[in-house]
Every structure is written in C-alpha cells, then in structure tokens.
Amino acid sequence: MLRGESPLLLRRTGRRGGGDLTVHLVGGAAGPLRGDDLRLDIEVGPGARLTVRSVAAQLALPGRLELPASRLAVRATVAAGGTLLWAPEPLIAAAGCHHLAATEVTVERGGTLIWRDDLVCGRHAEPSGTVKTEVLIRYGGKALYRHELAIGPSAPGWSGPAVLGGGRAAGTVVLAGPSLPDARLLGGDAVLMPLAGPGMLASAVGPDIRAVAAALDPLCVLPCLPLESLAA
C-alpha cells in the first residue's frame, strides 16, 4: 500500500509483477522549508524486496527565521527474509537553510538492508546551510550503526580535518544482512569497513557529489545473487 501527500508523494515505477517493487519519491512542493515537519514510514514484509529512490535531489531551503528547523523523520522496518534498498538522490543544504534529518531503521535477523545517504554542502558556488543528520540502524534487536553529522554555520569545525576535511559532499552506505562483501578501499577518500555485527559501512567524502557517487554507486544495486557477489 502506498499513501502520501505533498511534498512527499510516492509513485510505483519499474516493471510490474515478480517479487521486486520500486518506488520513487516525488517532490510535490518546494522544500523542506523552515517549519516543515515531515515523516516517511516504510515497512518491508517477509520475502518482499523494495527499492526506494527519488526523481530529484532534496533541496533544504531557508525560510522565516522565527520558525523552527525543518525536519524529515524516516522510519523503516524490514522483516526476516525481506530486502530494502534505500537510495534517494542527495540532500542539498542550500545557503540559509536549517534542517534536521532523523532516520531509524529496524531489520530483523535474516533481513537484508542497503541504506544510502548523500549530503551536498550548498548549491554551486554558495556556502552551505545548516544540516544535522541522525541515523540509527538496528539489526536482530541490537544497534548496528549510530551516526550524527552536522554541517554549516551552526556546526563549528565541520569543514576541518576532523569532519569533511574541506570536502563539499559526503555519502554513506550501510550494508546489513546474512552475506556481506569484504572490507576494501573504494578509491579516493572512500572505504568499505566492517561494523560490529552483520554489517558493513562504506563512507566517502569528495569535492563534489560525482566523486562520492563514483565510489558508492556500485554498492547500491539489489543483487540477484547474495551480497558477497559485490566483493568481486
């Protein structure tokens, strides 16, 4: 079942039939803007395979200063035997924005997850707005990955060597499930490394989103074979 309202509209795409389902997020209005409070819930049942993408980047925009930060909360659950690929286009922090992205994913043991998040620090030739991302992924009842990232004027030191090191784009992919690729360098400032559990984390930083995409895109395809085929 798909249900949404502007600005988060859901459209089923791709071929019909079979066990795979692809859904695209379509922006029904500009934003998010200050004051927006948005939520997206995803549920993947046993044996189901769901891919969620978007037709365009999400652009966090400024709004009236007296309003609270815009917020997007994403909650996802994946049952045993289910598979979820989350790979939307990047979030762009336009100058003057103030945005919070909060993600919580719960995967039952035996489920498979590929979770992708990309962030771009401002549009072309403009300073970054303020964005904070919070991600918590649980697998088999235990925390697998917890991460926070803050960029922009309200995050001192965000562009320094301890955070993005001068990079203008960053991305992560979390892989979780019964079969996983081996740790390895992905080229440039990108690496695939193990998590403390049945999971892997790919992290990339680059001068623009093209460098990040070149490192992470190969990991973001629902495999017909087990995930170890990605290690080849």
Side-chain angles (χ1 to χ4, degrees), residues 8 10 24 28 56 71 76 85 90 114 127 139 146 154 178 206 211 221:
L8 291 179
L10 305 172
H24 274 76
R71 176 182 170 87
L85 166 59
I114 305 174
Y139 189 90
R146 185 190 295 268
S154 299
V221 178

PDB file of all heavy atoms in Angstrom, residues 8 10 24 28 56 71 76 85 90 114 127 139 146 154 178 206 211 221:
ATOM      1  N   LEU A   8       5.708  14.922   0.052  1.00  0.00           N
ATOM      2  CA  LEU A   8       6.239  13.564  -0.075  1.00  0.00           C
ATOM      3  C   LEU A   8       5.224  12.698  -0.818  1.00  0.00           C
ATOM      4  O   LEU A   8       4.327  12.105  -0.211  1.00  0.00           O
ATOM      5  CB  LEU A   8       6.552  12.966   1.300  1.00  0.00           C
ATOM      6  CG  LEU A   8       7.718  13.580   2.072  1.00  0.00           C
ATOM      7  CD1 LEU A   8       7.874  12.894   3.424  1.00  0.00           C
ATOM      8  CD2 LEU A   8       9.018  13.482   1.285  1.00  0.00           C
ATOM      9  N   LEU A  10       4.506   9.430  -3.394  1.00  0.00           N
ATOM     10  CA  LEU A  10       5.077   8.129  -3.704  1.00  0.00           C
ATOM     11  C   LEU A  10       4.501   7.624  -5.015  1.00  0.00           C
ATOM     12  O   LEU A  10       3.284   7.646  -5.211  1.00  0.00           O
ATOM     13  CB  LEU A  10       4.789   7.135  -2.588  1.00  0.00           C
ATOM     14  CG  LEU A  10       5.227   7.559  -1.177  1.00  0.00           C
ATOM     15  CD1 LEU A  10       4.707   6.576  -0.147  1.00  0.00           C
ATOM     16  CD2 LEU A  10       6.734   7.678  -1.094  1.00  0.00           C
ATOM     17  N   HIS A  24       9.434   5.529  -6.270  1.00  0.00           N
ATOM     18  CA  HIS A  24      10.164   6.790  -6.337  1.00  0.00           C
ATOM     19  C   HIS A  24       9.450   7.859  -5.503  1.00  0.00           C
ATOM     20  O   HIS A  24       8.219   7.957  -5.534  1.00  0.00           O
ATOM     21  CB  HIS A  24      10.298   7.279  -7.782  1.00  0.00           C
ATOM     22  CG  HIS A  24      11.478   6.715  -8.499  1.00  0.00           C
ATOM     23  ND1 HIS A  24      11.505   5.420  -8.969  1.00  0.00           N
ATOM     24  CD2 HIS A  24      12.678   7.257  -8.820  1.00  0.00           C
ATOM     25  CE1 HIS A  24      12.670   5.194  -9.562  1.00  0.00           C
ATOM     26  NE2 HIS A  24      13.398   6.298  -9.475  1.00  0.00           N
ATOM     27  N   GLY A  28       6.331  17.113  -4.229  1.00  0.00           N
ATOM     28  CA  GLY A  28       5.110  17.772  -4.645  1.00  0.00           C
ATOM     29  C   GLY A  28       5.105  19.260  -4.360  1.00  0.00           C
ATOM     30  O   GLY A  28       4.155  19.959  -4.715  1.00  0.00           O
ATOM     31  N   ALA A  56      14.551  13.388  -7.947  1.00  0.00           N
ATOM     32  CA  ALA A  56      15.437  14.549  -7.916  1.00  0.00           C
ATOM     33  C   ALA A  56      16.030  14.686  -6.525  1.00  0.00           C
ATOM     34  O   ALA A  56      15.565  14.064  -5.565  1.00  0.00           O
ATOM     35  CB  ALA A  56      14.668  15.820  -8.295  1.00  0.00           C
ATOM     36  N   ARG A  71      12.269  19.489   9.381  1.00  0.00           N
ATOM     37  CA  ARG A  71      12.600  18.153   9.882  1.00  0.00           C
ATOM     38  C   ARG A  71      11.989  17.098   8.974  1.00  0.00           C
ATOM     39  O   ARG A  71      10.832  17.219   8.549  1.00  0.00           O
ATOM     40  CB  ARG A  71      12.073  17.968  11.303  1.00  0.00           C
ATOM     41  CG  ARG A  71      12.262  16.576  11.897  1.00  0.00           C
ATOM     42  CD  ARG A  71      11.646  16.498  13.289  1.00  0.00           C
ATOM     43  NE  ARG A  71      11.604  15.140  13.803  1.00  0.00           N
ATOM     44  CZ  ARG A  71      12.587  14.560  14.472  1.00  0.00           C
ATOM     45  NH1 ARG A  71      13.700  15.222  14.698  1.00  0.00           N
ATOM     46  NH2 ARG A  71      12.472  13.315  14.906  1.00  0.00           N
ATOM     47  N   ALA A  76      11.886   2.963   9.134  1.00  0.00           N
ATOM     48  CA  ALA A  76      11.778   1.794   8.254  1.00  0.00           C
ATOM     49  C   ALA A  76      11.926   0.522   9.071  1.00  0.00           C
ATOM     50  O   ALA A  76      12.733   0.458  10.013  1.00  0.00           O
ATOM     51  CB  ALA A  76      12.838   1.841   7.160  1.00  0.00           C
ATOM     52  N   LEU A  85      16.346  -1.583  -0.279  1.00  0.00           N
ATOM     53  CA  LEU A  85      17.379  -0.690  -0.813  1.00  0.00           C
ATOM     54  C   LEU A  85      16.838   0.729  -0.752  1.00  0.00           C
ATOM     55  O   LEU A  85      15.836   1.049  -1.400  1.00  0.00           O
ATOM     56  CB  LEU A  85      17.730  -1.056  -2.257  1.00  0.00           C
ATOM     57  CG  LEU A  85      18.537  -0.020  -3.053  1.00  0.00           C
ATOM     58  CD1 LEU A  85      19.870   0.296  -2.389  1.00  0.00           C
ATOM     59  CD2 LEU A  85      18.750  -0.468  -4.488  1.00  0.00           C
ATOM     60  N   PRO A  90      20.764  12.972  -3.579  1.00  0.00           N
ATOM     61  CA  PRO A  90      21.343  13.628  -2.391  1.00  0.00           C
ATOM     62  C   PRO A  90      20.441  14.691  -1.774  1.00  0.00           C
ATOM     63  O   PRO A  90      19.560  15.266  -2.417  1.00  0.00           O
ATOM     64  CB  PRO A  90      22.622  14.270  -2.949  1.00  0.00           C
ATOM     65  CG  PRO A  90      22.928  13.533  -4.206  1.00  0.00           C
ATOM     66  CD  PRO A  90      21.609  13.122  -4.770  1.00  0.00           C
ATOM     67  N   ILE A 114      20.291  -2.252   2.346  1.00  0.00           N
ATOM     68  CA  ILE A 114      21.288  -1.381   1.720  1.00  0.00           C
ATOM     69  C   ILE A 114      20.758   0.036   1.905  1.00  0.00           C
ATOM     70  O   ILE A 114      19.754   0.410   1.283  1.00  0.00           O
ATOM     71  CB  ILE A 114      21.489  -1.698   0.229  1.00  0.00           C
ATOM     72  CG1 ILE A 114      21.853  -3.166   0.013  1.00  0.00           C
ATOM     73  CG2 ILE A 114      22.568  -0.785  -0.367  1.00  0.00           C
ATOM     74  CD1 ILE A 114      21.925  -3.575  -1.452  1.00  0.00           C
ATOM     75  N   PRO A 127      27.686  29.147  -0.068  1.00  0.00           N
ATOM     76  CA  PRO A 127      28.039  28.486   1.192  1.00  0.00           C
ATOM     77  C   PRO A 127      26.971  27.485   1.609  1.00  0.00           C
ATOM     78  O   PRO A 127      25.819  27.542   1.154  1.00  0.00           O
ATOM     79  CB  PRO A 127      28.126  29.651   2.178  1.00  0.00           C
ATOM     80  CG  PRO A 127      27.234  30.705   1.602  1.00  0.00           C
ATOM     81  CD  PRO A 127      27.365  30.572   0.109  1.00  0.00           C
ATOM     82  N   TYR A 139      19.906  -4.174  13.945  1.00  0.00           N
ATOM     83  CA  TYR A 139      19.806  -5.461  13.243  1.00  0.00           C
ATOM     84  C   TYR A 139      19.689  -6.563  14.282  1.00  0.00           C
ATOM     85  O   TYR A 139      20.518  -6.667  15.194  1.00  0.00           O
ATOM     86  CB  TYR A 139      21.025  -5.707  12.354  1.00  0.00           C
ATOM     87  CG  TYR A 139      20.855  -6.905  11.448  1.00  0.00           C
ATOM     88  CD1 TYR A 139      20.312  -6.768  10.177  1.00  0.00           C
ATOM     89  CD2 TYR A 139      21.220  -8.188  11.871  1.00  0.00           C
ATOM     90  CE1 TYR A 139      20.136  -7.854   9.349  1.00  0.00           C
ATOM     91  CE2 TYR A 139      21.040  -9.281  11.062  1.00  0.00           C
ATOM     92  CZ  TYR A 139      20.508  -9.115   9.796  1.00  0.00           C
ATOM     93  OH  TYR A 139      20.317 -10.209   8.980  1.00  0.00           O
ATOM     94  N   ARG A 146      25.136   3.807  14.501  1.00  0.00           N
ATOM     95  CA  ARG A 146      24.590   5.064  15.008  1.00  0.00           C
ATOM     96  C   ARG A 146      25.562   6.184  14.633  1.00  0.00           C
ATOM     97  O   ARG A 146      26.765   6.090  14.911  1.00  0.00           O
ATOM     98  CB  ARG A 146      24.412   5.023  16.528  1.00  0.00           C
ATOM     99  CG  ARG A 146      23.736   6.287  17.095  1.00  0.00           C
ATOM    100  CD  ARG A 146      23.815   6.295  18.605  1.00  0.00           C
ATOM    101  NE  ARG A 146      23.064   5.211  19.209  1.00  0.00           N
ATOM    102  CZ  ARG A 146      21.801   5.313  19.591  1.00  0.00           C
ATOM    103  NH1 ARG A 146      21.140   6.439  19.410  1.00  0.00           N
ATOM    104  NH2 ARG A 146      21.197   4.271  20.149  1.00  0.00           N
ATOM    105  N   SER A 154      26.160  26.579  11.956  1.00  0.00           N
ATOM    106  CA  SER A 154      25.892  26.217  13.351  1.00  0.00           C
ATOM    107  C   SER A 154      26.722  25.037  13.835  1.00  0.00           C
ATOM    108  O   SER A 154      26.503  24.541  14.938  1.00  0.00           O
ATOM    109  CB  SER A 154      24.396  25.909  13.535  1.00  0.00           C
ATOM    110  OG  SER A 154      23.597  27.028  13.227  1.00  0.00           O
ATOM    111  N   PRO A 178      22.747 -11.335   5.937  1.00  0.00           N
ATOM    112  CA  PRO A 178      23.472 -12.591   6.147  1.00  0.00           C
ATOM    113  C   PRO A 178      24.723 -12.755   5.302  1.00  0.00           C
ATOM    114  O   PRO A 178      25.592 -13.536   5.653  1.00  0.00           O
ATOM    115  CB  PRO A 178      22.417 -13.652   5.788  1.00  0.00           C
ATOM    116  CG  PRO A 178      21.462 -12.950   4.882  1.00  0.00           C
ATOM    117  CD  PRO A 178      21.418 -11.529   5.335  1.00  0.00           C
ATOM    118  N   GLY A 206      34.129  13.886  -0.873  1.00  0.00           N
ATOM    119  CA  GLY A 206      34.715  14.355  -2.119  1.00  0.00           C
ATOM    120  C   GLY A 206      34.481  15.828  -2.346  1.00  0.00           C
ATOM    121  O   GLY A 206      33.684  16.468  -1.648  1.00  0.00           O
ATOM    122  N   ALA A 211      32.322  12.582  -7.231  1.00  0.00           N
ATOM    123  CA  ALA A 211      33.359  11.733  -6.646  1.00  0.00           C
ATOM    124  C   ALA A 211      32.765  10.747  -5.650  1.00  0.00           C
ATOM    125  O   ALA A 211      33.172   9.582  -5.579  1.00  0.00           O
ATOM    126  CB  ALA A 211      34.420  12.603  -5.974  1.00  0.00           C
ATOM    127  N   VAL A 221      22.912  -1.599  -5.595  1.00  0.00           N
ATOM    128  CA  VAL A 221      22.080  -2.349  -6.522  1.00  0.00           C
ATOM    129  C   VAL A 221      21.585  -3.590  -5.798  1.00  0.00           C
ATOM    130  O   VAL A 221      22.377  -4.311  -5.184  1.00  0.00           O
ATOM    131  CB  VAL A 221      22.860  -2.756  -7.782  1.00  0.00           C
ATOM    132  CG1 VAL A 221      21.982  -3.570  -8.713  1.00  0.00           C
ATOM    133  CG2 VAL A 221      23.400  -1.527  -8.499  1.00  0.00           C
TER     134      VAL A 221
END
